[in-house]
Amino acid sequence: MTTMGLFQVLALVGFPGLSLFAARHLKPVAWVGPVVVCYAFGIILGNIPGLGLQERLSLSVSEAAVPLAIPLLLFTTNVPRWMRLARPTLISFGLACLSAMVSAAVVGFALSDRSDEWWKMSGMLVGVYTGGTANMNAIGMALRVREETLILLNTADIVVGAVYLLILVTVAQRIALLFLPRFPNATGWDDNEAQEAAGTGGFTWSRARGMALAFLLAALIVGVSVGGTLLVFGGMEAPVVLLLITSLSLAASFLPSVRELPGSYDMGDYALLVFCVAVGTLADASRMRDTGLFVFVFCAGVVVLAVGMHFALAALFRIDADTALITSTATIFGPPFIGPVARALRNRELMVSGLTTGIMGYAVGTYLGLAVAWLLRP
């Protein structure tokens, strides 16, 4: 690894510890939260001219952080309690999917005179805003969209998504609470415990032993999930891997000895902050110039209309603010972003709901996107 590569890894892995330390001692940092600080640091780092960060390295770190974070966080899950939340979560997820489909169709019709591939773009955006990037690209390939359209739409999605993610981890909850009910009896998200995981709190051998066991179990679950997927499918299938990791982690959480491992959730929390820094470095502002105004307006229009419609319907069905926000995250971004948003909402109880609906989005996204595209086809 080059010296620059080593610096990049140290920055990605080490800065979350500094942010947690700062959140403990500086009120402004505590107010905005470590998630925002880490995300902002990553964006600044990624846009420093001439720094020469390796995009592949940031992707590798982010792709490693999320699979490890999921089991570490889910080990503490109380599944019977979550079962009481299933109905509002599923309703909100359905409303989010419906909103994406209607919004993509409306924006597509409104801008249909600007491109002969508008209906394909609508279908692709339904795929990404109910599932993920993999769904969007699969729909694009199925519809034989032009390569330049595929690249521009992916770029526009990154830019628009970065703006919405920043809103989600900062002011979205306060705005949603103006017209949606509050989440009942949230368990919270303990920043003091997360700071201890970063090495800024007390140390005991019992805690260190619990963290080591939790990490080894998480690594084992990730290894089994990846290995099983490779064995059955002959290649990496991200939705299947995430589904296996989530299922095995939840199964482990039924064991009191696993659920009570000290430091498990703290390490998962730290891994999420590493993910935030790594993803931030990928938000290259120069891509804005290359996106093209039409594609950017198309993508932004779908997101704004879909989010607005989703929350209007959530108000109609009396869905609480946190559930609406986490299902919006699940559909717009997918499972990898559930952790950071749940952390920003200070409600770890939503982790399972968000991951479940995010994976459901992967399952239905391609079907919904193709259905919308074929219905809109001139």
Side-chain angles (χ1 to χ4, degrees):
M1 181 181 292
T2 64
T3 302
M4 187 61 228
L6 181 60
F7 164 77
Q8 185 174 341
V9 171
L10 290 175
L12 298 180
V13 177
F15 184 80
L18 295 177
S19 71
L20 289 169
F21 182 82
R24 192 174 187 178
H25 297 281
L26 299 174
K27 288 185 177 180
V29 178
W31 184 80
V32 299
V35 169
V36 178
V37 172
C38 288
Y39 192 67
F41 173 76
I43 292 175
I44 294 171
L45 193 67
N47 287 279
I48 296 176
L51 190 58
L53 294 184
Q54 301 175 38
E55 183 174 308
R56 183 64 251 175
L57 190 56
S58 289
L59 282 171
S60 298
V61 171
S62 67
E63 290 168 356
V66 172
L68 281 175
I70 290 174
L72 289 169
L73 291 170
L74 292 185
F75 286 160
T76 61
T77 300
N78 187 328
V79 175
R81 177 176 169 82
W82 173 78
M83 292 301 292
R84 298 198 297 270
L85 307 176
R87 185 173 180 274
T89 299
L90 290 175
I91 292 174
S92 185
F93 173 71
L95 295 177
C97 291
L98 175 64
S99 299
M101 296 170 71
V102 173
S103 301
V106 170
V107 173
F109 273 123
L111 300 176
S112 59
D113 61 333
R114 300 294 303 274
S115 171
D116 62 331
E117 291 196 307
W118 65 271
W119 57 279
K120 298 180 181 180
M121 294 169 62
S122 291
M124 291 168 67
L125 290 179
V126 170
V128 74
Y129 295 139
T130 57
T133 303
N135 299 89
M136 176 169 67
N137 291 332
I139 292 168
M141 293 177 63
L143 298 177
R144 298 186 179 181
V145 70
R146 286 192 290 268
E147 184 177 348
E148 59 268 25
T149 302
L150 187 65
I151 294 172
L152 289 175
L153 206 57
N154 272 282
T155 304
D157 173 51
I158 291 173
V159 175
V160 174
V163 175
Y164 183 46
L165 183 61
L166 191 59
I167 294 172
L168 280 172
V169 298
T170 52
V171 299
Q173 188 181 41
R174 298 173 198 172
I175 295 173
L177 285 172
L178 296 176
F179 56 92
L180 294 178
R182 187 175 294 275
F183 185 89
N185 303 318
T187 54
W189 196 292
D190 192 341
D191 278 327
N192 289 328
E193 290 184 4
Q195 289 158 4
E196 290 175 9
T200 58
F203 172 85
T204 64
W205 285 110
S206 175
R207 183 178 180 78
R209 178 177 175 275
M211 294 173 71
L213 289 174
F215 181 83
L216 289 174
L217 182 57
L220 177 63
I221 286 176
V222 172
V224 169
S225 301
V226 172
T229 303
L230 290 173
L231 184 64
V232 174
F233 294 93
M236 284 293 293
E237 297 288 341
V240 178
V241 172
L242 285 169
L243 179 61
L244 285 173
I245 290 174
T246 301
S247 302
L248 292 174
S249 301
L250 287 174
S253 74
F254 280 93
L255 299 174
S257 57
V258 173
R259 192 166 59 245
E260 296 168 7
L261 281 173
S264 170
Y265 135 83
D266 309 343
M267 288 192 297
D269 181 66
Y270 194 89
L272 290 179
L273 296 180
V274 172
F275 172 79
C276 289
V277 178
V279 168
T281 63
L282 300 174
D284 186 355
S286 65
R287 290 174 175 169
M288 182 83 76
R289 299 191 299 267
D290 304 324
T291 300
L293 183 60
F294 162 68
V295 178
F296 177 78
V297 170
F298 197 113
C299 187
V302 172
V303 171
V304 171
L305 189 57
V307 171
M309 183 178 175
H310 177 211
F311 282 95
L313 291 171
L316 181 65
F317 282 82
R318 302 300 295 165
I319 304 296
D320 68 86
D322 286 7
T323 297
L325 288 167
I326 208 68
T327 48
S328 180
T329 303
T331 50
I332 300 292
F333 297 106
F337 289 84
I338 294 299
V341 174
R343 189 190 198 287
L345 296 174
R346 306 188 68 80
N347 191 345
R348 58 174 171 155
E349 200 165 330
L350 290 171
M351 279 288 298
V352 178
S353 302
L355 287 168
T356 303
T357 50
I359 291 171
M360 287 171 60
Y362 280 150
V364 303
T366 302
Y367 297 108
L368 296 179
L370 287 173
V372 169
W374 286 331
L375 285 173
L376 296 177
R377 185 175 183 174

